Amino acid sequence: MKTVMRIVLAVALVTALAAATMAQAQERGVSATEVIIGTSQPLSGGAAFWGVPVTGGMEAWIRLINEQGGIHGRRLRLVALDDSYLPPRAVVNVRELVDRVGIFALVGLLGSANAFAVRDFVVENQVLWINPLADANMWAGFRGKRSLFVSYVSYVDEGRILTEYAAKNMGVKTVAVFYQNDLFGQKGLLGVKRGAAAAKIKVVAAVPYELTDREFSAQAVKLRESGADAVVLYANPTAGALVVRGMRQIGYAPKLISTSALADPAMFALAGDAWNGVTLAAYFPLPGTDARVDETLATIVRINPALARQPFNAVGGIAFLEPFLEGLRRAGPNLTRASFITAMETLRNWDGNVARGITFGPDRRQGINKLYLVRSENGRYVRLTPDITYPVAF
Amino acid sequence: MALLAQYVIGGLAAGGLYALVALGIVLLYRTSRILNFAHGDLATFGTFIAFSLLVTYHSPFAIASAGALLITGVIGAAFYFLILRPARDASLLGKIVITLGFALLLQGTSTLLWGTDTKVLPFPLSDVRVYRLGGLVVSQISIGSFLIGLVLMGLVYVLVQRTKVGLAMRAVSQNLVAAQALGIPAKSIFALTWGLASALGATAGILLAPVALLDPSMMLDPFLKGFSAAVLGGIDSPPGAVAGGLLLGVIEAVFAGYVSVRFKTTLAFLIIIAVLIVRPEGMLGREYKRRV
């Protein structure tokens, strides 16, 4: 009898082990020693200013974690593909990452239009997607978000808050908007319009540009002709710097207000003196204002010295990656999609090295709903306000 | 009226740079009948070389610029001799694809060597110092760049139209075999043309970088505009390239000011289509006929 019992127990044990191993083996992108994650970024073209340091920051941080033994014994492998900020290429990249590379999760993916282009595919295939670097507002009302976790800013809320602040605290009665003619700029413009309506001030001009443009004299003249008290920038760093310099050249010096996307200290070099006195949004501590962020930056710069040239975007890459890493830690050694999602849902006002105040839950996928404002002064950013919260939309 | 004049001034400043780009494209096309789609990226590469000489090696601006133009010219000539000439039997489309490949190679190399972050090229003229004429404002750098561009265009015109070298360029372009039979050193003429056109592109890049900021994709838009200007003015006419560049710059600025800033970028392509339908040889170009 004892022998029979032993055989039954042994068979049960082997079956259980085999089942566990099969379940593990079936989890896409996860092995006993490795977790594969993917991202699509503009590593060339007009938005490479953002994409290269963001990806560089992510890669450096992952290298550091791997050198420390990985997470629960698994090393991380990041597969980063270049989409040149073009939505069709982002779609191809994400299909490649999901169908051929077999990633466990998509982390990042920069650009509102790109994220919009791939979101149906990602959701239909139930791919884990942590932090699309795109206007968070696009997810409000979108169904099938179980595998999605967003701790990126909402440009609509950002634009609204910036405009309301300008009306209440800067004496602004009229605003003009200089915006990139894609989903990023259009969402910012929408936010400014909502803020102006709420604060009962006027949007007197909305002047677009295309990402490939290099000459902004006509836009500068149009902004000047609007006579706006303030100009709000929803632009990439090159266009933002050039139009600010262009306005100054023709003797137009409005109050300047800007999206968080231009918070890189590199703007002081690109725009020169014209970048003094700009009011900007921020949603994590900027380099030079927080000891922990500065220490993190110093660490990744030791790994990749080129990141020192774009510190904001480099630490941004870490801020976008950190919630995912925390999810991996909390999910434990038995990593599955389900265990990861459950783990992510336990984040409550969680602080990383760069990311701050991240909260998710079973019914909450918008990880942050706050920002604060800074002012550029003599080559550094000075905090203007405490955190300003906006409603959680999803 | 002052507003219109301000748009025209901005348009002329941009148009002067389009003209320099167009001139390089036209010079190459006239001589070798090749549309060089690497022209913009070669210009960017040359500008990065100037940047390195200025910032890393602290060379004076004149030496850095001259060095960059020389190196870019050599690279342009080397591209012709090492890659395009061995593929001389390829179709026109094949040659265009080769230039596109070279453009990608240059862009990748620029990214690898200098990174993708935007850089400020130190320049002896200021974009903050401005001159006011009534209600008009024009910056020192715009005036300087425009004048430098005009002088260079004049020199190229004299070279092409008034010298034996220019005559040889035209001869090689019209009938290579006959030109060689007459003792014209065709290889040297091709080398000179590719070198000169590449250096012209780099000049446009160096003049553009202070006002457009330097990164690996800096010349993408100016190259497309320069190409449009060349088609508008006449793809085989140096004076046409200059006129086309200036005209395109002004039309674009006035269109953006009074019609639609949203479609400013599209306008250049509409102009190409319109010109190709109405007058395929361009404003000052001549209909291309080969004697048989």
Side-chain angles (χ1 to χ4, degrees):
Chain A
M1 191 63 187
K2 271 187 179 176
T3 310
V4 173
M5 281 297 286
R6 278 179 187 158
I7 291 169
V8 170
L9 272 173
V11 169
L13 192 64
V14 168
T15 310
L17 278 172
T21 309
M22 280 174 68
Q24 191 67 66
Q26 281 166 358
E27 196 59 66
R28 184 172 51 188
V30 179
S31 71
T33 56
E34 188 180 65
V35 179
I36 307 171
I37 58 176
T39 191
S40 179
Q41 304 276 355
L43 304 178
S44 62
F49 185 99
W50 287 319
V52 170
V54 162
T55 309
M58 290 167 76
E59 285 171 340
W61 201 240
I62 284 173
R63 189 171 147 188
L64 189 76
I65 286 168
N66 285 340
E67 282 171 1
Q68 292 167 350
I71 296 176
H72 299 303
R74 293 189 181 94
R75 294 168 65 82
L76 298 169
R77 177 152 67 94
L78 174 67
V79 181
L81 301 180
D82 177 21
D83 59 34
S84 299
Y85 208 57
L86 299 171
R89 282 186 63 178
V91 172
V92 172
N93 286 353
V94 170
R95 282 180 176 271
E96 164 93 10
L97 291 168
V98 172
D99 295 337
R100 295 186 60 187
V101 178
I103 54 171
F104 174 65
L106 187 62
V107 180
L109 195 142
L110 196 151
S112 297
N114 292 15
F116 191 82
V118 305
R119 71 176 186 175
D120 287 340
F121 174 81
V122 172
V123 168
E124 277 167 20
N125 287 276
Q126 298 183 325
V127 179
L128 285 170
W129 192 1
I130 290 70
N131 252 338
L133 310 181
D135 171 48
N137 190 260
M138 76 160 70
W139 303 105
F142 186 73
R143 291 196 292 178
K145 294 190 288 278
R146 185 172 147 71
S147 304
L148 177 77
F149 294 89
V150 179
S151 53
Y152 193 74
V153 74
S154 154
Y155 292 131
V156 177
D157 288 300
E158 182 192 77
R160 177 182 59 75
I161 290 167
L162 280 167
T163 311
E164 287 180 5
Y165 179 86
K168 284 178 191 159
N169 301 289
M170 296 164 64
V172 169
K173 304 277 183 231
T174 53
V175 290
V177 186
F178 175 69
Y179 69 100
Q180 192 165 295
N181 191 21
D182 62 9
L183 209 55
F184 155 58
Q186 287 159 4
K187 290 286 188 177
L189 174 63
L190 176 64
V192 173
K193 284 179 176 173
R194 286 186 183 171
K200 296 187 170 51
I201 64 172
K202 279 187 182 169
V203 179
V204 290
V207 179
Y209 75 94
E210 301 300 326
L211 186 63
T212 52
D213 285 354
R214 282 287 173 160
E215 202 284 308
F216 301 98
S217 62
Q219 279 96 336
V221 174
K222 277 194 100 69
L223 289 165
R224 184 188 71 178
E225 290 308 300
S226 76
D229 297 335
V231 170
V232 186
L233 304 169
Y234 269 88
N236 70 351
T238 306
L242 290 176
V243 83
V244 165
R245 282 163 56 161
M247 287 190 293
R248 176 164 282 205
Q249 251 182 31
I250 55 173
Y252 179 45
K255 294 182 174 77
L256 293 173
I257 297 163
S258 167
T259 170
S260 52
L262 298 189
D264 202 300
M267 288 299 291
F268 290 106
L270 300 183
D273 289 343
W275 202 246
N276 246 338
V278 183
T279 302
L280 300 100
Y283 55 99
F284 59 76
L286 300 177
T289 67
D290 181 277
R292 198 172 173 193
V293 169
D294 290 346
E295 193 183 314
T296 306
L297 177 64
T299 303
I300 57 171
V301 165
R302 276 197 293 276
I303 294 170
N304 179 358
L307 295 174
R309 297 204 296 264
Q310 291 161 278
F312 165 74
N313 289 303
V315 295
I318 297 172
F320 309 140
L321 177 70
E322 281 185 308
F324 170 74
L325 301 177
E326 183 60 17
L328 284 188
R329 287 187 194 102
R330 292 188 184 200
N334 296 321
L335 181 62
T336 62
R337 283 187 70 257
S339 70
F340 178 81
I341 289 171
T342 306
M344 287 294 282
E345 288 173 347
T346 64
L347 265 69
R348 297 279 183 280
N349 205 24
W350 177 82
D351 288 346
N353 277 47
V354 183
R356 298 292 154 88
I358 312 288
T359 298
F360 293 114
D363 299 317
R364 178 169 173 176
R365 288 296 186 262
Q366 186 172 17
I368 57 163
N369 64 319
K370 61 184 180 184
L371 51 78
Y372 64 97
L373 304 187
V374 297
R375 186 178 161 84
S376 58
E377 285 178 7
N378 303 317
R380 50 195 285 270
Y381 294 111
V382 178
R383 189 162 182 151
L384 277 181
T385 69
D387 285 343
I388 302 168
T389 56
Y390 49 87
V392 176
F394 57 95
Chain B
M1 198 60 193
L3 183 60
L4 175 65
Q6 188 68 58
Y7 282 126
V8 170
I9 285 174
L12 281 174
L17 297 172
Y18 299 162
L20 271 181
V21 176
L23 204 52
I25 294 170
V26 165
L27 268 184
L28 284 184
Y29 185 77
R30 270 170 67 95
T31 311
S32 52
R33 297 284 157 196
I34 291 173
L35 285 173
N36 181 17
F37 280 84
H39 191 66
D41 290 291
L42 193 51
T44 308
F45 197 83
T47 312
F48 269 120
I49 291 170
F51 176 81
S52 283
L53 292 173
L54 278 165
V55 175
T56 311
Y57 298 102
H58 308 289
S59 308
F61 184 80
I63 293 173
S65 302
L69 299 191
L70 184 68
I71 294 170
T72 313
V74 169
I75 293 173
F79 169 62
Y80 176 75
F81 278 107
L82 299 179
I83 298 171
L84 272 179
R85 196 173 162 80
R88 58 181 169 271
D89 295 331
S91 65
L92 183 63
L93 187 62
K95 286 175 184 164
I96 287 175
V97 170
I98 290 173
T99 66
L100 280 170
F102 187 49
L104 289 174
L105 178 72
L106 286 168
Q107 207 177 88
T109 310
S110 298
T111 303
L112 201 66
L113 293 178
W114 290 285
T116 53
D117 56 310
T118 311
K119 294 174 174 63
V120 180
L121 183 82
F123 201 76
L125 301 175
S126 165
D127 69 330
V128 178
R129 186 170 294 169
V130 294
Y131 303 100
R132 295 175 191 279
L133 298 166
L136 302 182
V137 184
V138 57
S139 69
Q140 190 185 55
I141 201 167
S142 296
I143 295 173
S145 298
F146 187 72
L147 291 178
I148 293 169
L150 277 186
V151 169
L152 284 173
M153 291 173 221
L155 289 175
V156 170
Y157 179 79
V158 170
L159 176 79
V160 173
Q161 301 292 348
R162 299 273 183 260
T163 66
K164 284 187 177 176
V165 173
L167 189 64
M169 282 176 172
R170 296 206 298 275
V172 165
S173 137
Q174 294 210 342
N175 191 327
L176 179 61
V177 177
Q180 283 174 320
L182 289 170
I184 293 173
K187 277 187 183 176
S188 304
I189 294 297
F190 279 126
L192 181 71
T193 309
W194 276 82
L196 188 64
S198 304
L200 266 180
T203 308
I206 291 169
L207 292 177
L208 183 72
V211 290
L213 300 175
L214 176 60
D215 66 39
S217 58
M218 175 186 78
M219 287 300 289
L220 177 63
D221 185 59
F223 170 71
L224 291 173
K225 301 292 171 57
F227 186 76
S228 308
V231 173
L232 174 63
I235 196 78
D236 63 349
S237 163
V242 175
L246 295 174
L247 195 60
L248 180 65
V250 172
I251 291 173
E252 204 179 53
V254 173
F255 181 87
Y258 291 102
V259 184
S260 167
V261 73
R262 190 185 294 258
F263 292 104
K264 176 186 159 207
T265 308
T266 319
L267 183 69
F269 302 102
L270 291 177
I271 287 174
I272 287 185
I273 294 169
V275 169
L276 289 176
I277 291 171
V278 178
R279 191 175 159 82
E281 63 273 26
M283 287 188 309
L284 302 180
R286 281 178 303 180
E287 199 177 344
Y288 181 69
K289 288 175 186 167
R290 185 182 283 274
R291 285 187 186 143
V292 290

